[in-house]
Amino acid sequence: MDQLDSFRDNSWDLIDINSFIDEAPSDFFWNDQIQNQNQRAVAELEAPLSSATFQEECIETECPRKRGRNESCSKQGNKACRERLRREKLNERFSELCSVLEPGRPVKTDKMAILGDAIRVLNELKTESEEYKEINQKLMEEIKTLKKRTNFVKRNSH
Amino acid sequence: MDQLDSFRDNSWDLIDINSFIDEAPSDFFWNDQIQNQNQRAVAELEAPLSSATFQEECIETECPRKRGRNESCSKQGNKACRERLRREKLNERFSELCSVLEPGRPVKTDKMAILGDAIRVLNELKTESEEYKEINQKLMEEIKTLKKRTNFVKRNSH
DNA sequence: GGCCACACGTGATGC
DNA sequence: TGCATCACGTGTGGC
């Protein structure tokens, strides 16, 4: 019964907070980064570890200053904030993977599609590399026989 | 207020269900798969497409029978259920990508690590393929010159 | 007992 | 309109 009451109280808190604080739009970071990468190709791509520097301006309990909704981070504990950080880092990885997949624009936004493309490209590159390796083998053999023949001809010509 | 009441009702349902049915841990699909793959290496790995067969027993509005907590799907609309399906499909993709990355066991569990590895392997394969291509170029040139020389020697020997 | 990674259900938004 | 995708805060299990 105690459990039940506390649970209901949490529900109250939840709704209370949301109804007063939560007026900002939701998915900003992901779209922003993607659009940035879309328009100006590189620039901040030199920092795939941007989360490290990013950690510095937002150490632990403090929150990124990216956009609204973050006011709820300072109050009400930092659990939600850390979770948000985790999500953002994950999205960074997604975006990075996407840019590796197709250096040409336009960058995909769909996580499912990104993963699918990653799998596809990975397999393609594997077979491509394998094919090249086989060709190399054959070319080397051909070179060997060619050298042999050259030497043979030389020897016979004297 | 209606929202609030319905929310509290859901809470009731949830707790009711959980206390009687749901004694299993929560995040079963992903963790189960991972733990299985970690401990006993293979065995049920033959079913990476479990969602296909899985879809059959759970078409659209009906919910998977995997474990408790799903009764809440039949009532209260199928929104949460669809979202859950989406998550599971995403996790399948993750698992698939992971198995493509390293055909040898054991399979990684960390999404962040999987994405990072994917980026790394992708770059590695790219450069590897590029290197092979360059080597091919050089080998072909060498063959060309070898052939020329052979012909020259032949001509001079007569 | 705190932290981390994840699953969960829900509100928001675009198509 | 309904559906898909996402971000969000929270609950939870494992370490």
Side-chain angles (χ1 to χ4, degrees):
Chain A
M1 269 305 169
D2 295 342
Q3 262 195 0
L4 198 60
D5 286 336
S6 70
F7 185 89
R8 221 185 299 167
D9 287 340
N10 283 340
S11 304
W12 272 97
D13 288 340
L14 203 73
I15 289 183
D16 198 28
I17 288 174
N18 283 344
S19 58
F20 286 112
I21 298 180
D22 188 16
E23 78 285 1
S26 54
D27 47 345
F28 37 82
F29 171 82
W30 177 246
N31 284 337
D32 274 359
Q33 205 181 32
I34 282 175
Q35 285 175 1
N36 287 342
Q37 288 180 1
N38 263 345
Q39 293 161 5
R40 33 212 172 97
V42 242
E44 63 275 74
L45 260 198
E46 86 296 336
L49 302 177
S50 59
S51 71
T53 61
F54 169 70
Q55 283 275 31
E56 286 180 330
E57 68 166 299
C58 165
I59 322 95
E60 266 294 49
T61 55
E62 216 204 335
C63 269
R65 199 116 318 247
K66 299 260 178 180
R67 214 95 76 176
R69 176 67 77 85
N70 302 353
E71 290 79 343
S72 65
C73 283
S74 37
K75 61 181 76 174
Q76 192 253 145
N78 57 349
K79 172 79 186 311
C81 175
R82 287 207 307 273
E83 176 64 13
R84 171 211 280 268
L85 266 182
R86 185 183 150 272
R87 278 195 302 265
E88 287 181 357
K89 259 157 71 174
L90 216 98
N91 282 342
E92 264 181 61
R93 279 286 209 287
F94 263 107
S95 166
E96 198 179 343
L97 172 60
C98 193
S99 67
V100 170
L101 280 180
E102 35 189 357
R105 313 284 120 8
V107 180
K108 279 262 181 57
T109 78
D110 197 297
K111 292 180 181 179
M112 203 80 90
I114 293 178
L115 288 181
D117 282 5
I119 297 173
R120 181 179 50 80
V121 172
L122 225 31
N123 283 326
E124 286 176 0
L125 276 181
K126 267 187 186 175
T127 60
E128 182 182 304
S129 183
E130 206 60 33
E131 284 176 3
Y132 279 138
K133 202 185 285 187
E134 286 183 16
I135 293 181
N136 268 3
Q137 209 67 25
K138 290 186 179 176
L139 288 182
M140 281 179 171
E141 284 183 18
E142 189 172 348
I143 286 181
K144 215 156 67 169
T145 61
L146 271 179
K147 279 186 176 174
K148 264 190 206 161
R149 202 191 310 172
T150 305
N151 285 338
F152 177 79
V153 172
K154 267 187 182 173
R155 238 179 287 123
N156 278 13
S157 72
H158 289 163
Chain B
M1 271 303 169
D2 295 342
Q3 262 194 359
L4 198 61
D5 286 336
S6 70
F7 186 88
R8 222 185 299 167
D9 286 342
N10 285 339
S11 303
W12 272 97
D13 287 339
L14 208 68
I15 286 183
D16 199 27
I17 288 173
N18 283 345
S19 58
F20 287 111
I21 299 180
D22 190 14
E23 75 287 1
S26 56
D27 47 342
F28 37 84
F29 172 78
W30 179 248
N31 280 340
D32 272 2
Q33 205 178 34
I34 282 172
Q35 285 176 359
N36 287 341
Q37 289 176 2
N38 264 345
Q39 293 162 4
R40 31 212 170 98
V42 241
E44 61 276 76
L45 259 197
E46 85 296 336
L49 301 177
S50 58
S51 78
T53 59
F54 166 72
Q55 283 275 31
E56 288 179 7
E57 67 165 299
C58 167
I59 322 95
E60 265 295 48
T61 55
E62 216 205 332
C63 269
R65 199 117 316 250
K66 298 260 180 180
R67 214 94 76 175
R69 177 72 75 88
N70 302 352
E71 288 74 348
S72 65
C73 283
S74 39
K75 62 180 75 174
Q76 191 254 143
N78 54 354
K79 171 80 186 309
C81 176
R82 288 205 310 274
E83 177 65 11
R84 170 209 282 266
L85 267 181
R86 186 183 150 272
R87 278 195 302 264
E88 287 181 357
K89 260 157 73 175
L90 215 96
N91 282 342
E92 263 181 63
R93 280 285 212 286
F94 263 105
S95 171
E96 196 179 345
L97 172 60
C98 194
S99 66
V100 170
L101 281 180
E102 34 190 356
R105 311 282 126 7
V107 180
K108 277 264 179 58
T109 79
D110 198 302
K111 289 181 182 178
M112 203 80 91
I114 293 178
L115 289 181
D117 283 4
I119 296 173
R120 179 179 53 79
V121 172
L122 225 31
N123 283 327
E124 287 176 0
L125 276 181
K126 266 186 186 176
T127 60
E128 181 181 303
S129 183
E130 206 60 34
E131 284 176 4
Y132 278 140
K133 202 186 286 187
E134 286 182 15
I135 293 181
N136 269 3
Q137 209 68 25
K138 290 185 179 177
L139 288 182
M140 282 178 170
E141 284 183 18
E142 189 173 350
I143 287 181
K144 216 156 68 169
T145 63
L146 271 182
K147 279 186 178 174
K148 264 190 205 162
R149 203 192 310 171
T150 305
N151 285 338
F152 175 79
V153 172
K154 268 187 182 173
R155 240 179 287 121
N156 278 13
S157 70
H158 287 164

